[in-house]
Amino acid sequence: MRAYNQSWDWFAGMSETEIEAQRRRDQIWDRPTWSFAGGDPAEDLQDPFDLFAEEREETRKRRADRRRRARSEEELALAELDLSAPVTLAEIKIRYKFLAKRLHPDSNGGDPAAEDRLKSVNQAYTTLKRLYGPTTKS
């Protein structure tokens, strides 16, 4: 058995380039990846003619409108994450992770506006985790 294992070579017949490419794929478990600074892969697509500016503005207005109408702590937190009730903790976590990655200072070159928004998102997530999280009985 030992002799068989020593004679077995996964890379037999591969060139150095192919071996290096395989090793790089193995480092990420052969899954697609992108740099943190790049954010969401969909955001990597450029909008040279600013075709979606109106849509982004509508989203911003909708979020601001929800904040104005919000009365409770829960409604304010949901508006900050651009969510509306009913919502599950899993949906809240998904939205939080998306926004945290998008607004992180490393991916925005230290933009103070993004950093302030990230602080608000963190506070809203903490609030919603407390409200929607599992209740513990002591």
Side-chain angles (χ1 to χ4, degrees), residues 96-117:
Y96 169 74
K97 287 179 183 181
F98 171 77
L99 289 172
K101 185 176 179 183
R102 187 171 175 199
L103 297 169
H104 194 275
D106 289 345
S107 61
N108 287 296
D111 179 23
E115 191 174 334
D116 290 341
R117 175 87 201 286

Side-chain angles (χ1 to χ4, degrees), residues 44-60:
D44 288 343
L45 301 173
Q46 299 298 317
D47 187 12
F49 301 111
D50 213 16
L51 298 173
F52 301 104
E54 187 175 311
E55 184 177 325
R56 285 191 303 269
E57 183 64 22
E58 286 297 318
T59 301
R60 189 191 61 72

Side-chain angles (χ1 to χ4, degrees), residues 85-101:
V87 67
T88 65
L89 185 58
E91 292 168 331
I92 293 168
K93 285 182 181 181
I94 290 169
R95 183 66 182 164
Y96 169 74
K97 287 179 183 181
F98 171 77
L99 289 172
K101 185 176 179 183

Side-chain angles (χ1 to χ4, degrees), residues 66 74-75 78-79 82-88 91-92 128 132:
R66 280 191 200 145
E74 177 186 9
E75 289 172 330
L78 286 171
D82 200 22
L83 294 170
S84 55
V87 67
T88 65
E91 292 168 331
I92 293 168
L128 292 172
Y132 284 84

